[in-house]
DNA sequence: TCAAACTCCGAAGTAACCGT
DNA sequence: ACGGTTACTTCGGAGTTTGA
Protein backbone atom coordinates (compact mmCIF):
# COMPACT_ATOMS: atom_id res chain seq x y z
CA UNK A 1 0.00 0.00 0.00
CA UNK A 2 1.59 3.30 -1.08
CA UNK A 3 -0.22 6.14 0.60
CA UNK A 4 0.96 9.22 2.44
CA UNK A 5 -0.21 9.49 6.03
CA UNK A 6 -0.17 12.33 8.56
CA UNK A 7 -0.39 11.49 12.26
CA UNK A 8 -1.73 14.42 14.26
CA UNK A 9 -1.46 13.90 17.99
CA UNK A 10 0.09 15.93 20.81
CA UNK A 11 1.63 12.89 22.52
CA UNK A 12 5.07 12.05 21.02
CA UNK A 13 4.93 8.51 22.38
CA UNK A 14 1.59 7.84 20.70
CA UNK A 15 2.87 9.33 17.42
CA UNK A 16 5.95 7.12 17.61
CA UNK A 17 3.80 4.07 18.28
CA UNK A 18 1.50 4.92 15.40
CA UNK A 19 4.48 5.47 13.08
CA UNK A 20 5.83 2.09 14.02
CA UNK A 21 2.44 0.44 13.54
CA UNK A 22 1.71 2.20 10.26
CA UNK A 23 5.23 1.75 8.92
CA UNK A 24 4.53 -1.95 8.35
CA UNK A 25 1.24 -1.14 6.64
CA UNK A 26 1.72 1.93 4.47
CA UNK A 27 5.48 2.20 4.15
CA UNK A 28 7.73 5.12 5.07
CA UNK A 29 5.54 7.98 3.85
CA UNK A 30 4.43 9.13 7.29
CA UNK A 31 4.37 12.74 8.52
CA UNK A 32 3.66 14.00 12.02
CA UNK A 33 2.02 17.02 13.68
CA UNK A 34 1.49 17.87 17.34
CA UNK A 35 -1.01 20.74 17.06
CA UNK A 36 -3.94 21.61 14.83
CA UNK A 37 -2.01 24.49 13.25
CA UNK A 38 0.87 22.18 12.51
CA UNK A 39 -1.57 19.68 11.00
CA UNK A 40 -3.02 22.32 8.68
CA UNK A 41 0.48 23.52 7.73
CA UNK A 42 1.55 19.97 6.90
CA UNK A 43 -1.56 19.45 4.77
CA UNK A 44 -0.91 22.72 2.97
CA UNK A 45 2.75 21.93 2.37
CA UNK A 46 2.05 18.31 1.36
CA UNK A 47 -0.96 18.21 -0.96
CA UNK A 48 -0.22 14.53 -1.66
CA UNK A 49 -1.27 13.45 1.84
CA UNK A 50 -4.02 10.83 1.50
CA UNK A 51 -4.97 10.11 5.07
CA UNK A 52 -4.86 11.92 8.41
CA UNK A 53 -5.12 10.31 11.83
CA UNK A 54 -6.49 13.23 13.84
CA UNK A 55 -6.56 13.28 17.63
CA UNK A 56 -9.86 14.62 18.99
CA UNK A 57 -8.15 16.52 21.78
CA UNK A 58 -4.91 18.32 20.99
CA UNK A 59 -3.65 21.93 21.11
CA UNK A 60 -5.94 24.00 18.88
CA UNK A 61 -8.40 21.17 18.46
CA UNK A 62 -10.88 20.89 21.31
CA UNK A 63 -13.55 18.50 20.13
CA UNK A 64 -14.41 18.31 16.45
CA UNK A 65 -13.30 21.81 15.41
CA UNK A 66 -10.13 20.39 13.88
CA UNK A 67 -12.12 17.88 11.87
CA UNK A 68 -14.41 20.56 10.48
CA UNK A 69 -11.38 22.73 9.67
CA UNK A 70 -9.55 19.95 7.86
CA UNK A 71 -12.71 18.92 5.98
CA UNK A 72 -13.35 22.52 5.02
CA UNK A 73 -9.85 23.26 3.75
CA UNK A 74 -8.86 19.84 2.44
CA UNK A 75 -12.05 18.06 1.38
CA UNK A 76 -10.15 15.39 -0.57
CA UNK A 77 -8.13 14.20 2.43
CA UNK A 78 -9.47 11.20 4.31
CA UNK A 79 -9.70 11.76 8.07
CA UNK A 80 -9.74 9.07 10.72
CA UNK A 81 -10.43 10.34 14.22
CA UNK A 82 -8.29 9.01 17.08
CA UNK A 83 -9.32 9.28 20.71
CA UNK A 84 -9.08 7.63 24.11
CA UNK A 85 -12.83 8.20 24.56
CA UNK A 86 -15.37 5.86 23.00
CA UNK A 87 -18.48 8.02 23.16
CA UNK A 88 -21.25 7.08 20.76
CA UNK A 89 -22.41 10.68 20.54
CA UNK A 90 -18.93 11.97 19.68
CA UNK A 91 -18.49 9.27 17.06
CA UNK A 92 -21.82 10.04 15.40
CA UNK A 93 -20.90 13.72 15.22
CA UNK A 94 -17.48 12.96 13.74
CA UNK A 95 -18.95 10.71 11.06
CA UNK A 96 -21.63 13.27 10.25
CA UNK A 97 -18.88 15.86 9.80
CA UNK A 98 -17.12 13.70 7.26
CA UNK A 99 -14.72 11.53 9.24
CA UNK A 100 -14.04 8.26 7.45
CA UNK A 101 -13.40 6.27 10.58
CA UNK A 102 -12.86 6.22 14.28
CA UNK A 103 -10.00 4.49 16.10
CA UNK A 104 -9.66 4.17 19.87
CA UNK A 105 -6.11 4.64 21.15
CA UNK A 106 -6.37 1.15 22.61
CA UNK A 107 -6.79 -0.36 19.11
CA UNK A 108 -4.47 -3.18 18.06
CA UNK A 109 -2.11 -2.93 15.06
CA UNK A 110 -4.35 -5.39 13.20
CA UNK A 111 -7.30 -3.15 13.92
CA UNK A 112 -5.45 -0.06 12.59
CA UNK A 113 -4.33 -1.95 9.48
CA UNK A 114 -7.90 -2.99 8.76
CA UNK A 115 -9.06 0.60 9.26
CA UNK A 116 -6.50 1.96 6.79
CA UNK A 117 -7.44 -0.59 4.15
CA UNK A 118 -11.16 0.00 4.48
CA UNK A 119 -10.86 3.80 4.51
CA UNK A 120 -8.58 3.83 1.47
CA UNK A 121 -11.17 1.63 -0.26
CA UNK A 122 -13.73 4.36 0.34
CA UNK A 123 -15.56 2.73 3.21
CA UNK A 124 -16.36 4.12 6.65
CA UNK A 125 -14.75 2.11 9.40
CA UNK A 126 -15.44 1.60 13.09
CA UNK A 127 -13.94 -1.06 15.37
CA UNK A 128 -16.41 -3.58 16.76
CA UNK A 129 -16.18 -2.21 20.30
CA UNK A 130 -17.20 1.21 19.04
CA UNK A 131 -19.78 0.03 16.52
CA UNK A 132 -21.59 -1.85 19.29
CA UNK A 133 -21.74 1.06 21.72
CA UNK A 134 -25.23 1.49 23.15
CA UNK A 135 -27.10 4.40 21.73
CA UNK A 136 -27.96 6.16 24.96
CA UNK A 137 -28.51 9.55 23.40
CA UNK A 138 -30.71 11.97 25.26
CA UNK A 139 -33.20 14.17 23.49
CA UNK A 140 -30.66 17.00 23.46
CA UNK A 141 -28.03 14.75 21.97
CA UNK A 142 -30.47 13.64 19.30
CA UNK A 143 -31.04 17.26 18.38
CA UNK A 144 -27.29 17.73 18.21
CA UNK A 145 -27.06 14.73 15.90
CA UNK A 146 -29.61 16.32 13.59
CA UNK A 147 -27.51 19.46 13.62
CA UNK A 148 -24.37 17.49 12.81
CA UNK A 149 -26.11 15.98 9.82
CA UNK A 150 -27.06 19.49 8.69
CA UNK A 151 -23.45 20.60 9.20
CA UNK A 152 -22.34 17.84 6.88
CA UNK A 153 -24.50 19.40 4.15
CA UNK A 154 -22.44 22.61 4.17
CA UNK A 155 -19.84 23.29 1.52
CA UNK A 156 -16.23 23.85 2.68
CA UNK A 157 -16.60 27.61 2.24
CA UNK A 158 -19.84 27.67 4.16
CA UNK A 159 -18.23 25.70 6.99
CA UNK A 160 -15.36 28.18 7.19
CA UNK A 161 -17.80 31.08 7.33
CA UNK A 162 -19.91 29.39 9.99
CA UNK A 163 -16.85 28.82 12.14
CA UNK A 164 -15.97 32.51 11.94
CA UNK A 165 -19.56 33.49 12.67
CA UNK A 166 -19.42 31.27 15.75
CA UNK A 167 -16.23 33.08 16.77
CA UNK A 168 -18.16 36.35 16.69
CA UNK A 169 -16.57 37.85 13.57
CA UNK A 170 -18.55 40.43 11.58
CA UNK A 171 -19.21 39.85 7.88
CA UNK A 172 -16.62 42.50 7.08
CA UNK A 173 -14.01 40.73 9.19
CA UNK A 174 -14.84 37.38 7.63
CA UNK A 175 -14.53 38.92 4.18
CA UNK A 176 -11.10 40.28 5.07
CA UNK A 177 -9.95 36.95 6.55
CA UNK A 178 -11.11 34.93 3.53
CA UNK A 179 -10.16 37.59 1.01
CA UNK A 180 -13.64 37.75 -0.52
CA UNK A 181 -16.23 40.52 -0.67
CA UNK A 182 -18.64 41.22 2.17
CA UNK A 183 -21.61 40.43 -0.05
CA UNK A 184 -20.19 37.00 -0.75
CA UNK A 185 -19.88 36.39 2.97
CA UNK A 186 -23.52 37.40 3.34
CA UNK A 187 -24.46 34.95 0.62
CA UNK A 188 -22.62 32.18 2.44
CA UNK A 189 -24.20 33.12 5.76
CA UNK A 190 -27.66 33.05 4.17
CA UNK A 191 -26.98 29.59 2.76
CA UNK A 192 -25.75 28.40 6.15
CA UNK A 193 -28.86 29.71 7.91
CA UNK A 194 -31.04 28.02 5.32
CA UNK A 195 -29.27 24.67 5.58
CA UNK A 196 -29.10 24.71 9.37
CA UNK A 197 -32.69 25.90 9.59
CA UNK A 198 -31.93 28.71 12.05
CA UNK A 199 -33.24 32.28 11.94
CA UNK A 200 -30.03 34.24 12.48
CA UNK A 201 -26.25 34.02 12.83
CA UNK A 202 -26.36 34.11 16.61
CA UNK A 203 -28.38 30.89 16.75
CA UNK A 204 -26.18 29.32 14.09
CA UNK A 205 -23.05 30.22 16.05
CA UNK A 206 -24.43 28.90 19.31
CA UNK A 207 -25.58 25.67 17.70
CA UNK A 208 -22.19 25.22 16.02
CA UNK A 209 -20.30 25.77 19.29
CA UNK A 210 -22.65 23.36 21.04
CA UNK A 211 -22.15 20.71 18.37
CA UNK A 212 -18.39 21.08 18.54
CA UNK A 213 -18.20 20.94 22.34
CA UNK A 214 -17.87 17.27 23.16
CA UNK A 215 -16.24 17.44 26.55
CA UNK A 216 -18.75 19.49 28.54
C1' DT B 1 -18.41 30.72 -6.15
C1' DC B 2 -18.74 35.45 -6.23
C1' DA B 3 -20.50 40.23 -6.43
C1' DA B 4 -23.92 44.00 -6.81
C1' DA B 5 -28.10 45.96 -5.53
C1' DC B 6 -31.63 45.92 -2.72
C1' DT B 7 -34.66 45.63 1.67
C1' DC B 8 -35.12 45.09 6.56
C1' DC B 9 -34.03 46.03 11.25
C1' DG B 10 -32.11 47.91 15.35
C1' DA B 11 -29.19 51.31 17.65
C1' DA B 12 -27.99 55.96 18.28
C1' DG B 13 -28.64 60.77 17.81
C1' DT B 14 -31.70 64.73 17.61
C1' DA B 15 -35.66 67.63 17.78
C1' DA B 16 -40.25 68.59 19.41
C1' DC B 17 -43.51 68.33 22.91
C1' DC B 18 -45.29 68.15 27.63
C1' DG B 19 -45.45 68.27 32.72
C1' DT B 20 -43.33 70.00 36.86
C1' DA C 1 -35.49 76.19 32.95
C1' DC C 2 -35.20 71.43 33.49
C1' DG C 3 -36.12 66.61 32.87
C1' DG C 4 -38.72 62.92 30.71
C1' DT C 5 -41.12 61.02 26.75
C1' DT C 6 -42.11 60.42 21.94
C1' DA C 7 -41.33 60.70 17.02
C1' DC C 8 -38.29 61.12 13.34
C1' DT C 9 -33.84 60.50 10.86
C1' DT C 10 -29.52 58.43 9.94
C1' DC C 11 -26.38 54.77 9.69
C1' DG C 12 -24.39 50.29 9.92
C1' DG C 13 -24.99 45.42 9.83
C1' DA C 14 -27.71 41.44 8.39
C1' DG C 15 -30.05 38.99 5.03
C1' DT C 16 -32.28 38.19 0.14
C1' DT C 17 -32.45 38.22 -4.73
C1' DT C 18 -30.47 38.18 -9.08
C1' DG C 19 -27.11 37.49 -12.41
C1' DA C 20 -22.32 36.49 -14.12
Amino acid sequence: MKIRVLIADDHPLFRAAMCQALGDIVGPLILQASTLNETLSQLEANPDIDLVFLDVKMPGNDGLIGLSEVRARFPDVLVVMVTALEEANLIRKALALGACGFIPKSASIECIAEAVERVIDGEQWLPESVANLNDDATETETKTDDFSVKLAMLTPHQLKVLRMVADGLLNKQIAYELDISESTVKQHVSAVLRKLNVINRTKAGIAFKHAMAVHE
Side-chain angles (χ1 to χ4, degrees), chain A residues 8-210:
Chain A
D9 193 291
D10 57 333
H11 293 105
L13 279 176
F14 179 77
R15 288 202 307 273
M18 279 292 281
C19 277
Q20 196 170 4
L22 288 171
D24 298 334
I25 304 165
V26 302
L29 303 174
I30 299 173
L31 299 169
Q32 297 184 34
S34 59
T35 66
L36 179 60
N37 279 340
E38 208 178 313
T39 303
L40 297 172
S41 300
Q42 289 273 25
L43 285 167
E44 199 144 347
N46 302 280
D48 54 341
I49 290 175
D50 303 292
L51 175 63
V52 176
F53 285 91
L54 183 64
D55 189 12
V56 170
K57 187 104 176 165
M58 62 192 287
N61 182 27
D62 187 7
L64 300 175
I65 289 175
L67 172 61
S68 65
E69 182 81 14
V70 171
R71 294 292 302 158
R73 291 178 56 179
F74 309 95
D76 295 333
V77 175
L78 301 170
V79 182
V80 172
M81 299 305 291
V82 180
T83 180
L85 304 168
E86 295 185 11
E87 295 176 9
N89 190 40
L90 169 65
I91 294 166
R92 282 194 301 272
K93 287 182 195 175
L95 295 178
L97 283 171
C100 302
F102 213 94
I103 293 183
K105 289 192 175 177
S106 55
S108 64
I109 291 178
E110 292 77 21
C111 178
I112 295 170
E114 189 183 341
V116 172
E117 284 180 19
R118 293 277 190 84
V119 167
I120 291 299
D121 284 345
E123 297 176 32
Q124 259 189 355
W125 189 86
L126 296 175
E128 209 164 309
S129 63
V130 171
N132 292 337
L133 278 176
N134 289 331
D135 191 349
D136 56 351
T138 61
E139 191 182 339
T140 307
E141 285 172 335
T142 303
K143 285 179 182 174
T144 307
D145 289 345
D146 292 343
F147 188 79
S148 296
V149 170
K150 290 173 185 170
L151 274 182
M153 292 163 59
L154 301 181
T155 65
H157 266 88
Q158 288 165 356
L159 203 51
K160 275 187 204 173
V161 169
L162 173 60
R163 197 178 165 213
M164 291 182 176
V165 166
D167 286 340
L169 270 67
L170 303 177
N171 286 343
K172 193 175 286 186
Q173 293 174 305
I174 296 171
Y176 177 79
E177 291 292 330
L178 298 180
D179 197 26
I180 57 178
S181 78
E182 190 178 347
S183 57
T184 301
V185 175
K186 291 175 181 178
Q187 193 271 335
H188 285 317
V189 172
S190 290
V192 167
L193 299 183
R194 217 167 29 244
K195 287 184 178 179
L196 300 186
N197 196 28
V198 294
I199 60 170
N200 57 38
R201 65 200 291 125
T202 306
K203 289 189 185 300
I206 290 170
F208 178 73
K209 290 268 189 186
H210 179 68

